[in-house]
Amino acid sequence: MNSDVSSKQLVLELARSLHACGSPAYELDLEMEQVSASLGHEASFFSTPTALFVTFGGDDTRLIRVYPSDTNLGRYAALFELQREIQENQLNTPAAWQRLSEINAMSEGYGTVTQILSHGGVAACISVLVGGDIRTTLSAGVVGLMVGILVTWLTAQRHQVHLINVAAGFLASSVACSIQAYFGTGNFEITSLAALILLVPGLHLTISINELATQNLASGSARFSGAMTTLLTIVFGVSMGYGLVDALIPIPPSVQLDSPDWFASSLVLVPIGLCVAVTFRTRYRDIPWLLASTLLGYGVLRLAGTVFGPFASVGIAAFVTGVTSHHASARLGLPTAVMLLPALLLLVPGSLGFSGLSQIMLKEDLPSGIHLTATMMLTAVSIVAGLLLTDVVVSRSDKQSLESPTTNTSESSD
């Protein structure tokens, strides 16, 4: 145990670790200010996807260079527990530093084969959710496995993320188009989208809009730009794959998809939740709560869709999921993100942006592409509206819970 570490070093390393797990600016800044106060420091935080500024006492400013990374809910939950222990004075600085070092050194929790299988599994399940037939579903699963192998290998070789996106888009599109060209029927757009769904930055896009709505303008703008760049690189790879196959053999028109029914959708929700748990590196003991939130979010979305329009349905689903996740997480001692992010993954509009840009680049259908892209933005705004309303309801309930003991005490004294 390192007894020479200072409390400021602990604060800086904890903030860096939270950022590496994918914590958005509006959560990281507030949480770290509370932890710093518990350690006797008045500190302010300013985080962006690539830099973290920390000022202690108004005159001691530190800059930490950080890099965007994938969401790691397992490590994030462990860091959340460490924050609570620090705030409750259960750990001194050396003990907290030792615990933080152990968390940062912990394994990912899932092997390479499991991560590859999750790509194929979620691709097949997403194909079912959007109404794909048996051939489209099988094609999506196979292409998803191939994309998982490629992404895992390129990541291990430490290639740039945008290069991985282009390569994955090219592979998915070329294989999907080849299947449709040789077998005559299919829907290569849905097959490619399902195979690439874990790379499509719908969640990052929604988080960026939420950061902008909460006045975290620098972080929100940077994250939005990064999400759109990721989307463009994926679609560029898809366009290259489509162009290659189309130059070699004619690609028949895609078949129209049927509307998904309740029964088929309900069968794939649990497998999707398990694949998402692998993708987000969720701890084994948190998986049941992740599955529950996934079922809740999609169920509310489908029920609200029978009465309201699509944008209102998405906002209602985000609101119900947000409130439920907050109250359940408070009782379970978990960060809200463990239950909220997986549920939002089925609501986020990344697939709409993918389809919109694909319409523009592959079919030169500008009106349809613009329509889908605008729908993507409105869907993201609907989700953010639901989350902002959640903050209002949750903040009010927290305030009432804090005031009620005081009221009871005054009544008893009377």
Side-chain angles (χ1 to χ4, degrees), residues 1-272:
M1 183 179 297
N2 189 355
S3 59
D4 296 330
V5 65
S6 67
S7 56
K8 287 186 178 181
Q9 288 177 288
L10 175 62
V11 169
L12 294 173
E13 183 61 21
L14 181 56
R16 189 199 64 77
S17 300
L18 284 170
H19 187 283
C21 293
S23 179
Y26 49 84
E27 289 185 359
L28 189 150
D29 296 352
L30 178 61
E31 291 173 357
M32 287 309 305
E33 286 176 3
Q34 296 173 350
V35 172
S36 299
S38 300
L39 294 171
H41 296 292
E42 181 182 353
S44 58
F45 293 79
F46 181 82
S47 60
T48 71
T50 56
L52 181 61
F53 297 87
V54 184
T55 300
F56 295 100
D59 57 358
D60 181 8
T61 300
R62 312 288 180 89
L63 168 63
I64 306 175
R65 183 70 168 92
V66 290
Y67 300 91
S69 56
D70 296 330
T71 302
N72 189 326
L73 291 181
R75 190 167 294 165
Y76 187 78
L79 292 172
F80 177 83
E81 294 173 353
L82 176 59
Q83 292 177 71
R84 300 288 81 78
E85 292 174 355
I86 293 174
Q87 290 178 286
E88 295 170 2
N89 296 320
Q90 297 180 8
L91 293 176
N92 56 24
T93 299
W97 179 268
Q98 178 66 23
R99 176 64 182 140
L100 179 59
S101 301
E102 295 172 355
I103 293 173
N104 288 332
M106 64 188 297
S107 62
E108 299 294 345
Y110 299 95
T112 302
V113 175
T114 304
Q115 295 178 23
I116 293 174
L117 290 176
S118 70
H119 277 268
V122 78
C125 293
I126 290 296
S127 177
V128 173
L129 276 185
V130 298
D133 56 15
I134 184 63
R135 176 172 291 180
T136 302
T137 301
L138 291 176
S139 300
V142 172
V143 178
L145 286 173
M146 297 174 66
V147 170
I149 294 172
L150 178 66
V151 170
T152 302
W153 179 69
L154 291 178
T155 302
Q157 299 297 317
R158 300 183 181 277
H159 288 288
Q160 292 290 329
V161 174
H162 294 312
L163 173 62
I164 297 175
N165 293 333
V166 172
F170 176 82
L171 174 65
S173 178
S174 58
V175 175
C177 290
S178 298
I179 292 174
Q180 186 164 323
Y182 283 103
F183 290 97
T185 59
N187 191 305
F188 77 89
E189 295 96 336
I190 295 301
T191 302
S192 301
L193 170 61
L196 296 168
I197 195 65
L198 292 180
L199 302 179
V200 173
L203 188 60
H204 291 287
L205 175 66
T206 303
I207 291 175
S208 70
I209 300 296
N210 202 0
E211 288 179 331
L212 291 172
T214 55
Q215 300 302 306
N216 292 279
L217 303 182
S219 181
S221 300
R223 199 181 301 273
F224 180 83
S225 300
M228 294 305 298
T229 302
T230 298
L231 193 60
L232 286 170
T233 54
I234 293 174
V235 174
F236 176 77
V238 169
S239 176
M240 294 292 291
Y242 173 84
L244 174 63
V245 176
D246 189 49
L248 299 176
I249 182 173
I251 302 174
S254 299
V255 297
Q256 295 297 320
L257 301 179
D258 298 327
S259 299
D261 55 55
W262 272 91
F263 180 72
S265 300
S266 61
L267 287 179
V268 300
L269 286 179
V270 171
I272 286 179

Side-chain angles (χ1 to χ4, degrees), residues 325-348:
S325 298
H326 175 84
H327 289 295
S329 299
R331 286 166 174 76
L332 296 170
L334 297 173
T336 306
V338 170
M339 297 185 65
L340 182 59
L341 292 186
L344 292 182
L345 197 63
L346 293 178
L347 308 178
V348 293

